[in-house]
Amino acid sequence: MLNLKYEKPGTRTASNLVPGAGKAALLCCSMVFFWPQAAAADWPEFPVPDEAKVVVVGEDMNINGLPTQIWELSSSRAPEEILGYYRQEWQDPAVSDGPGYIEKEAGGWQILSRSEEPYFYTVQVTEAAMGSSFGFLAVSMPMELVNHKPDEFAKPAGSEILLDLASDDAGKRGRVVQFKNPQSIEANYGFYRKRYMAKGWNELSQLPPDSTKAMLLMNKGNGEISIVFNRVDNESYGVLVESYD
């Protein structure tokens, strides 16, 4: 495999990452994110096409307890050329009688994945301006899932966690949680407002709840929390963002 070449940008916190959830969520597939102390030496080289630019999103992440690295990829080459590169790179099966890779399409993204024990590789790419390519690369270690215990997250009854992302970048900590439940916007809003105020958080501003939407912004010391609620098809969706300097 080729050595991964990348540029490391400035700090990216959870609140920076999740607005692009329409992109990253396909790659992450509603997975839970945490940040362990993974050793760089444990990671394999990830093949990258010539002339492609790769930027670090997370070097020591975890998805559902799986240690994971994710990069953002951009290239002047068309998506089909990028995909062709990986089809060629991964054409040989990693195990006997198995496929070299699996390919699928989801939401306008082309996704290739390959299992090469103990690693699982994923490439997702879509067309950008002037026929160029934009996408993500990820490699994880599924065998490390054993004994994973996710952090507790308080939520209204009947809630389903869609995404839980936590980060600690140079001392700036953040967490983003996406969830849904059948309860009303008013019930969700009241649940979190009451819970955080009981813990000493101050309400900064708000979009009072109605039947379809609400927003709550609070702070405490060097921490800030924003929660946005929306009602869609008889279910309430929430996005909670915590950040601490």
Side-chain angles (χ1 to χ4, degrees), residues 13-16 152-154 164-167 172-177 192 195-196 199 201 217-218 222-227 239-245:
T13 64
S15 58
N16 296 130
E152 184 66 26
F153 174 70
D164 189 339
L165 184 156
S167 66
K172 187 175 181 65
R173 294 174 292 124
R175 186 179 188 183
V176 178
V177 181
Y192 286 104
R195 179 176 181 81
Y196 281 103
K199 292 185 174 183
W201 288 73
L217 180 62
M218 310 185 80
N222 65 349
E224 185 174 288
I225 291 175
S226 65
I227 313 175
V239 178
L240 179 148
V241 179
E242 295 182 5
S243 62
Y244 303 86
D245 293 326

mmCIF file of all heavy atoms in Angstrom, residues 13-16 152-154 164-167 172-177 192 195-196 199 201 217-218 222-227 239-245:
data_model
loop_
_atom_site.group_PDB
_atom_site.id
_atom_site.type_symbol
_atom_site.label_atom_id
_atom_site.label_comp_id
_atom_site.label_asym_id
_atom_site.label_seq_id
_atom_site.Cartn_x
_atom_site.Cartn_y
_atom_site.Cartn_z
ATOM 1 N N THR A 13 -13.349 20.743 16.233
ATOM 2 C CA THR A 13 -14.089 20.241 17.372
ATOM 3 C C THR A 13 -15.345 19.548 16.899
ATOM 4 O O THR A 13 -15.684 19.563 15.716
ATOM 5 C CB THR A 13 -14.473 21.396 18.310
ATOM 6 O OG1 THR A 13 -15.363 22.261 17.601
ATOM 7 C CG2 THR A 13 -13.252 22.171 18.747
ATOM 8 N N ALA A 14 -16.075 18.985 17.835
ATOM 9 C CA ALA A 14 -17.297 18.273 17.480
ATOM 10 C C ALA A 14 -18.266 19.186 16.770
ATOM 11 O O ALA A 14 -18.934 18.800 15.817
ATOM 12 C CB ALA A 14 -17.945 17.704 18.742
ATOM 13 N N SER A 15 -18.357 20.460 17.203
ATOM 14 C CA SER A 15 -19.311 21.367 16.576
ATOM 15 C C SER A 15 -18.915 21.699 15.152
ATOM 16 O O SER A 15 -19.748 22.080 14.338
ATOM 17 C CB SER A 15 -19.418 22.663 17.398
ATOM 18 O OG SER A 15 -18.163 23.287 17.523
ATOM 19 N N ASN A 16 -17.622 21.578 14.815
ATOM 20 C CA ASN A 16 -17.193 21.774 13.432
ATOM 21 C C ASN A 16 -17.550 20.587 12.571
ATOM 22 O O ASN A 16 -17.879 20.729 11.396
ATOM 23 C CB ASN A 16 -15.664 21.972 13.361
ATOM 24 C CG ASN A 16 -15.207 23.220 14.079
ATOM 25 O OD1 ASN A 16 -14.297 23.161 14.887
ATOM 26 N ND2 ASN A 16 -15.840 24.346 13.810
ATOM 27 N N GLU A 152 -22.764 7.387 29.515
ATOM 28 C CA GLU A 152 -24.191 7.545 29.736
ATOM 29 C C GLU A 152 -24.653 8.891 29.170
ATOM 30 O O GLU A 152 -23.953 9.891 29.265
ATOM 31 C CB GLU A 152 -24.495 7.477 31.233
ATOM 32 C CG GLU A 152 -25.957 7.523 31.580
ATOM 33 C CD GLU A 152 -26.711 6.293 31.090
ATOM 34 O OE1 GLU A 152 -26.073 5.232 30.938
ATOM 35 O OE2 GLU A 152 -27.919 6.415 30.856
ATOM 36 N N PHE A 153 -25.810 8.900 28.568
ATOM 37 C CA PHE A 153 -26.389 10.148 28.062
ATOM 38 C C PHE A 153 -27.841 10.205 28.498
ATOM 39 O O PHE A 153 -28.634 9.324 28.160
ATOM 40 C CB PHE A 153 -26.299 10.208 26.530
ATOM 41 C CG PHE A 153 -27.002 11.402 25.954
ATOM 42 C CD1 PHE A 153 -26.494 12.677 26.141
ATOM 43 C CD2 PHE A 153 -28.187 11.258 25.236
ATOM 44 C CE1 PHE A 153 -27.138 13.783 25.621
ATOM 45 C CE2 PHE A 153 -28.838 12.354 24.711
ATOM 46 C CZ PHE A 153 -28.305 13.625 24.897
ATOM 47 N N ALA A 154 -28.173 11.229 29.277
ATOM 48 C CA ALA A 154 -29.545 11.365 29.761
ATOM 49 C C ALA A 154 -30.458 11.755 28.608
ATOM 50 O O ALA A 154 -30.130 12.658 27.819
ATOM 51 C CB ALA A 154 -29.595 12.432 30.852
ATOM 52 N N ASP A 164 -23.388 9.900 18.506
ATOM 53 C CA ASP A 164 -22.782 10.421 19.727
ATOM 54 C C ASP A 164 -21.304 10.607 19.449
ATOM 55 O O ASP A 164 -20.567 9.636 19.287
ATOM 56 C CB ASP A 164 -23.010 9.448 20.886
ATOM 57 C CG ASP A 164 -22.581 10.038 22.232
ATOM 58 O OD1 ASP A 164 -21.784 10.985 22.241
ATOM 59 O OD2 ASP A 164 -23.053 9.548 23.265
ATOM 60 N N LEU A 165 -20.885 11.860 19.335
ATOM 61 C CA LEU A 165 -19.517 12.173 18.940
ATOM 62 C C LEU A 165 -18.875 12.996 20.041
ATOM 63 O O LEU A 165 -19.419 14.026 20.433
ATOM 64 C CB LEU A 165 -19.521 12.948 17.615
ATOM 65 C CG LEU A 165 -18.173 13.299 16.976
ATOM 66 C CD1 LEU A 165 -18.329 13.498 15.485
ATOM 67 C CD2 LEU A 165 -17.545 14.538 17.592
ATOM 68 N N ALA A 166 -17.745 12.543 20.539
ATOM 69 C CA ALA A 166 -17.009 13.297 21.553
ATOM 70 C C ALA A 166 -15.586 13.511 21.082
ATOM 71 O O ALA A 166 -15.014 12.672 20.388
ATOM 72 C CB ALA A 166 -17.021 12.554 22.890
ATOM 73 N N SER A 167 -14.992 14.643 21.442
ATOM 74 C CA SER A 167 -13.629 14.937 21.007
ATOM 75 C C SER A 167 -12.879 15.673 22.105
ATOM 76 O O SER A 167 -13.470 16.292 22.990
ATOM 77 C CB SER A 167 -13.644 15.792 19.734
ATOM 78 O OG SER A 167 -14.198 17.066 20.005
ATOM 79 N N LYS A 172 -9.507 21.406 24.090
ATOM 80 C CA LYS A 172 -10.860 21.880 23.794
ATOM 81 C C LYS A 172 -11.751 20.657 23.613
ATOM 82 O O LYS A 172 -11.625 19.919 22.655
ATOM 83 C CB LYS A 172 -10.889 22.738 22.527
ATOM 84 C CG LYS A 172 -12.242 23.389 22.290
ATOM 85 C CD LYS A 172 -12.182 24.326 21.092
ATOM 86 C CE LYS A 172 -13.521 25.001 20.850
ATOM 87 N NZ LYS A 172 -13.904 25.899 21.967
ATOM 88 N N ARG A 173 -12.642 20.450 24.577
ATOM 89 C CA ARG A 173 -13.484 19.265 24.571
ATOM 90 C C ARG A 173 -14.854 19.560 23.987
ATOM 91 O O ARG A 173 -15.368 20.666 24.129
ATOM 92 C CB ARG A 173 -13.637 18.718 26.001
ATOM 93 C CG ARG A 173 -12.349 18.192 26.593
ATOM 94 C CD ARG A 173 -12.533 17.795 28.038
ATOM 95 N NE ARG A 173 -12.785 18.952 28.881
ATOM 96 C CZ ARG A 173 -13.847 19.106 29.666
ATOM 97 N NH1 ARG A 173 -14.794 18.159 29.692
ATOM 98 N NH2 ARG A 173 -13.993 20.164 30.424
ATOM 99 N N GLY A 174 -15.424 18.588 23.321
ATOM 100 C CA GLY A 174 -16.743 18.778 22.738
ATOM 101 C C GLY A 174 -17.493 17.467 22.630
ATOM 102 O O GLY A 174 -16.896 16.383 22.660
ATOM 103 N N ARG A 175 -18.804 17.578 22.545
ATOM 104 C CA ARG A 175 -19.641 16.400 22.349
ATOM 105 C C ARG A 175 -20.877 16.809 21.562
ATOM 106 O O ARG A 175 -21.445 17.869 21.788
ATOM 107 C CB ARG A 175 -20.058 15.797 23.690
ATOM 108 C CG ARG A 175 -20.821 14.466 23.551
ATOM 109 C CD ARG A 175 -21.180 13.893 24.903
ATOM 110 N NE ARG A 175 -21.731 12.546 24.793
ATOM 111 C CZ ARG A 175 -22.176 11.835 25.818
ATOM 112 N NH1 ARG A 175 -22.136 12.337 27.042
ATOM 113 N NH2 ARG A 175 -22.647 10.618 25.635
ATOM 114 N N VAL A 176 -21.263 15.966 20.616
ATOM 115 C CA VAL A 176 -22.474 16.185 19.837
ATOM 116 C C VAL A 176 -23.310 14.919 19.898
ATOM 117 O O VAL A 176 -22.795 13.824 19.673
ATOM 118 C CB VAL A 176 -22.154 16.525 18.364
ATOM 119 C CG1 VAL A 176 -23.449 16.694 17.564
ATOM 120 C CG2 VAL A 176 -21.324 17.792 18.296
ATOM 121 N N VAL A 177 -24.573 15.066 20.222
ATOM 122 C CA VAL A 177 -25.477 13.924 20.284
ATOM 123 C C VAL A 177 -26.711 14.230 19.440
ATOM 124 O O VAL A 177 -27.354 15.262 19.621
ATOM 125 C CB VAL A 177 -25.924 13.611 21.731
ATOM 126 C CG1 VAL A 177 -26.850 12.397 21.750
ATOM 127 C CG2 VAL A 177 -24.715 13.383 22.631
ATOM 128 N N TYR A 192 -34.640 18.866 28.967
ATOM 129 C CA TYR A 192 -33.254 19.317 29.007
ATOM 130 C C TYR A 192 -33.094 20.646 29.739
ATOM 131 O O TYR A 192 -32.106 20.859 30.461
ATOM 132 C CB TYR A 192 -32.682 19.393 27.587
ATOM 133 C CG TYR A 192 -32.404 18.023 27.034
ATOM 134 C CD1 TYR A 192 -33.246 17.445 26.096
ATOM 135 C CD2 TYR A 192 -31.322 17.280 27.492
ATOM 136 C CE1 TYR A 192 -33.011 16.164 25.613
ATOM 137 C CE2 TYR A 192 -31.072 16.001 27.015
ATOM 138 C CZ TYR A 192 -31.924 15.447 26.086
ATOM 139 O OH TYR A 192 -31.694 14.174 25.626
ATOM 140 N N ARG A 195 -33.219 19.790 33.400
ATOM 141 C CA ARG A 195 -32.061 19.003 33.820
ATOM 142 C C ARG A 195 -30.816 19.871 33.967
ATOM 143 O O ARG A 195 -30.098 19.783 34.965
ATOM 144 C CB ARG A 195 -31.808 17.885 32.814
ATOM 145 C CG ARG A 195 -30.601 17.022 33.169
ATOM 146 C CD ARG A 195 -30.429 15.865 32.208
ATOM 147 N NE ARG A 195 -29.288 15.061 32.588
ATOM 148 C CZ ARG A 195 -29.292 14.135 33.544
ATOM 149 N NH1 ARG A 195 -30.395 13.891 34.210
ATOM 150 N NH2 ARG A 195 -28.193 13.449 33.828
ATOM 151 N N TYR A 196 -30.535 20.716 32.979
ATOM 152 C CA TYR A 196 -29.318 21.519 33.032
ATOM 153 C C TYR A 196 -29.419 22.657 34.039
ATOM 154 O O TYR A 196 -28.431 23.004 34.704
ATOM 155 C CB TYR A 196 -28.957 22.036 31.638
ATOM 156 C CG TYR A 196 -28.281 20.971 30.801
ATOM 157 C CD1 TYR A 196 -28.980 20.287 29.807
ATOM 158 C CD2 TYR A 196 -26.955 20.629 31.024
ATOM 159 C CE1 TYR A 196 -28.361 19.292 29.059
ATOM 160 C CE2 TYR A 196 -26.325 19.644 30.282
ATOM 161 C CZ TYR A 196 -27.031 18.975 29.300
ATOM 162 O OH TYR A 196 -26.430 17.987 28.572
ATOM 163 N N LYS A 199 -28.512 21.594 37.397
ATOM 164 C CA LYS A 199 -27.069 21.396 37.575
ATOM 165 C C LYS A 199 -26.302 22.714 37.572
ATOM 166 O O LYS A 199 -25.077 22.724 37.505
ATOM 167 C CB LYS A 199 -26.528 20.485 36.474
ATOM 168 C CG LYS A 199 -27.025 19.054 36.581
ATOM 169 C CD LYS A 199 -26.351 18.177 35.531
ATOM 170 C CE LYS A 199 -26.719 16.710 35.717
ATOM 171 N NZ LYS A 199 -26.022 15.843 34.755
ATOM 172 N N TRP A 201 -26.608 25.296 35.283
ATOM 173 C CA TRP A 201 -26.400 25.939 33.994
ATOM 174 C C TRP A 201 -27.321 27.150 33.860
ATOM 175 O O TRP A 201 -28.426 27.163 34.397
ATOM 176 C CB TRP A 201 -26.662 24.963 32.848
ATOM 177 C CG TRP A 201 -25.598 23.915 32.718
ATOM 178 C CD1 TRP A 201 -25.398 22.854 33.555
ATOM 179 C CD2 TRP A 201 -24.593 23.836 31.710
ATOM 180 N NE1 TRP A 201 -24.317 22.102 33.123
ATOM 181 C CE2 TRP A 201 -23.813 22.675 31.996
ATOM 182 C CE3 TRP A 201 -24.284 24.609 30.597
ATOM 183 C CZ2 TRP A 201 -22.730 22.308 31.199
ATOM 184 C CZ3 TRP A 201 -23.203 24.231 29.809
ATOM 185 C CH2 TRP A 201 -22.440 23.093 30.109
ATOM 186 N N LEU A 217 -30.092 27.490 24.484
ATOM 187 C CA LEU A 217 -28.671 27.790 24.596
ATOM 188 C C LEU A 217 -28.358 28.098 26.054
ATOM 189 O O LEU A 217 -28.998 28.957 26.671
ATOM 190 C CB LEU A 217 -28.303 28.995 23.723
ATOM 191 C CG LEU A 217 -26.834 29.435 23.721
ATOM 192 C CD1 LEU A 217 -25.940 28.331 23.172
ATOM 193 C CD2 LEU A 217 -26.665 30.713 22.901
ATOM 194 N N MET A 218 -27.369 27.393 26.631
ATOM 195 C CA MET A 218 -27.034 27.541 28.046
ATOM 196 C C MET A 218 -25.516 27.535 28.229
ATOM 197 O O MET A 218 -24.777 27.054 27.363
ATOM 198 C CB MET A 218 -27.671 26.410 28.862
ATOM 199 C CG MET A 218 -29.152 26.190 28.605
ATOM 200 S SD MET A 218 -29.918 24.946 29.674
ATOM 201 C CE MET A 218 -30.176 25.932 31.162
ATOM 202 N N ASN A 222 -16.767 27.554 31.730
ATOM 203 C CA ASN A 222 -16.217 27.602 30.374
ATOM 204 C C ASN A 222 -16.958 26.671 29.416
ATOM 205 O O ASN A 222 -16.486 26.397 28.318
ATOM 206 C CB ASN A 222 -14.728 27.244 30.389
ATOM 207 C CG ASN A 222 -14.487 25.797 30.812
ATOM 208 O OD1 ASN A 222 -15.402 25.125 31.293
ATOM 209 N ND2 ASN A 222 -13.260 25.323 30.646
ATOM 210 N N GLY A 223 -18.115 26.196 29.842
ATOM 211 C CA GLY A 223 -18.881 25.291 28.996
ATOM 212 C C GLY A 223 -20.096 25.951 28.371
ATOM 213 O O GLY A 223 -20.676 26.889 28.926
ATOM 214 N N GLU A 224 -20.473 25.479 27.213
ATOM 215 C CA GLU A 224 -21.654 25.975 26.515
ATOM 216 C C GLU A 224 -22.404 24.811 25.886
ATOM 217 O O GLU A 224 -21.788 23.874 25.378
ATOM 218 C CB GLU A 224 -21.263 26.978 25.429
ATOM 219 C CG GLU A 224 -22.443 27.634 24.744
ATOM 220 C CD GLU A 224 -22.023 28.737 23.782
ATOM 221 O OE1 GLU A 224 -21.590 29.804 24.255
ATOM 222 O OE2 GLU A 224 -22.107 28.502 22.559
ATOM 223 N N ILE A 225 -23.717 24.881 25.940
ATOM 224 C CA ILE A 225 -24.557 23.837 25.365
ATOM 225 C C ILE A 225 -25.622 24.477 24.488
ATOM 226 O O ILE A 225 -26.261 25.455 24.884
ATOM 227 C CB ILE A 225 -25.248 23.000 26.464
ATOM 228 C CG1 ILE A 225 -24.218 22.158 27.222
ATOM 229 C CG2 ILE A 225 -26.307 22.080 25.864
ATOM 230 C CD1 ILE A 225 -24.817 21.399 28.394
ATOM 231 N N SER A 226 -25.794 23.944 23.296
ATOM 232 C CA SER A 226 -26.918 24.357 22.449
ATOM 233 C C SER A 226 -27.680 23.099 22.046
ATOM 234 O O SER A 226 -27.076 22.066 21.769
ATOM 235 C CB SER A 226 -26.439 25.108 21.209
ATOM 236 O OG SER A 226 -25.684 24.264 20.362
ATOM 237 N N ILE A 227 -29.002 23.209 22.049
ATOM 238 C CA ILE A 227 -29.846 22.083 21.663
ATOM 239 C C ILE A 227 -30.903 22.599 20.689
ATOM 240 O O ILE A 227 -31.624 23.552 20.985
ATOM 241 C CB ILE A 227 -30.562 21.434 22.863
ATOM 242 C CG1 ILE A 227 -29.584 21.209 24.019
ATOM 243 C CG2 ILE A 227 -31.184 20.108 22.444
ATOM 244 C CD1 ILE A 227 -30.236 20.677 25.278
ATOM 245 N N VAL A 239 -30.507 17.810 18.309
ATOM 246 C CA VAL A 239 -29.058 17.838 18.161
ATOM 247 C C VAL A 239 -28.504 18.660 19.333
ATOM 248 O O VAL A 239 -28.767 19.861 19.438
ATOM 249 C CB VAL A 239 -28.598 18.461 16.837
ATOM 250 C CG1 VAL A 239 -27.077 18.496 16.771
ATOM 251 C CG2 VAL A 239 -29.151 17.688 15.665
ATOM 252 N N LEU A 240 -27.782 18.006 20.217
ATOM 253 C CA LEU A 240 -27.190 18.649 21.370
ATOM 254 C C LEU A 240 -25.694 18.801 21.136
ATOM 255 O O LEU A 240 -25.010 17.845 20.771
ATOM 256 C CB LEU A 240 -27.450 17.818 22.626
ATOM 257 C CG LEU A 240 -26.880 18.335 23.951
ATOM 258 C CD1 LEU A 240 -27.787 17.932 25.113
ATOM 259 C CD2 LEU A 240 -25.464 17.785 24.206
ATOM 260 N N VAL A 241 -25.178 20.022 21.335
ATOM 261 C CA VAL A 241 -23.752 20.296 21.145
ATOM 262 C C VAL A 241 -23.206 20.879 22.439
ATOM 263 O O VAL A 241 -23.670 21.912 22.931
ATOM 264 C CB VAL A 241 -23.512 21.297 19.994
ATOM 265 C CG1 VAL A 241 -22.010 21.582 19.851
ATOM 266 C CG2 VAL A 241 -24.082 20.769 18.702
ATOM 267 N N GLU A 242 -22.216 20.212 23.022
ATOM 268 C CA GLU A 242 -21.513 20.686 24.207
ATOM 269 C C GLU A 242 -20.089 21.078 23.801
ATOM 270 O O GLU A 242 -19.451 20.374 23.030
ATOM 271 C CB GLU A 242 -21.415 19.601 25.281
ATOM 272 C CG GLU A 242 -22.733 19.154 25.876
ATOM 273 C CD GLU A 242 -22.533 18.101 26.968
ATOM 274 O OE1 GLU A 242 -21.359 17.815 27.291
ATOM 275 O OE2 GLU A 242 -23.527 17.597 27.482
ATOM 276 N N SER A 243 -19.582 22.179 24.350
ATOM 277 C CA SER A 243 -18.189 22.552 24.105
ATOM 278 C C SER A 243 -17.594 23.166 25.371
ATOM 279 O O SER A 243 -18.291 23.886 26.108
ATOM 280 C CB SER A 243 -18.084 23.536 22.939
ATOM 281 O OG SER A 243 -18.770 24.751 23.225
ATOM 282 N N TYR A 244 -16.329 22.849 25.623
ATOM 283 C CA TYR A 244 -15.629 23.329 26.803
ATOM 284 C C TYR A 244 -14.234 23.762 26.395
ATOM 285 O O TYR A 244 -13.511 23.027 25.736
ATOM 286 C CB TYR A 244 -15.512 22.225 27.866
ATOM 287 C CG TYR A 244 -16.835 21.646 28.307
ATOM 288 C CD1 TYR A 244 -17.429 20.598 27.604
ATOM 289 C CD2 TYR A 244 -17.484 22.151 29.429
ATOM 290 C CE1 TYR A 244 -18.638 20.056 28.000
ATOM 291 C CE2 TYR A 244 -18.702 21.619 29.835
ATOM 292 C CZ TYR A 244 -19.267 20.576 29.122
ATOM 293 O OH TYR A 244 -20.489 20.048 29.516
ATOM 294 N N ASP A 245 -13.834 24.970 26.788
ATOM 295 C CA ASP A 245 -12.472 25.453 26.498
ATOM 296 C C ASP A 245 -11.492 24.904 27.512
ATOM 297 O O ASP A 245 -11.851 24.631 28.650
ATOM 298 C CB ASP A 245 -12.433 26.967 26.528
ATOM 299 C CG ASP A 245 -13.240 27.575 25.389
ATOM 300 O OD1 ASP A 245 -13.273 26.965 24.314
ATOM 301 O OD2 ASP A 245 -13.833 28.642 25.607
#
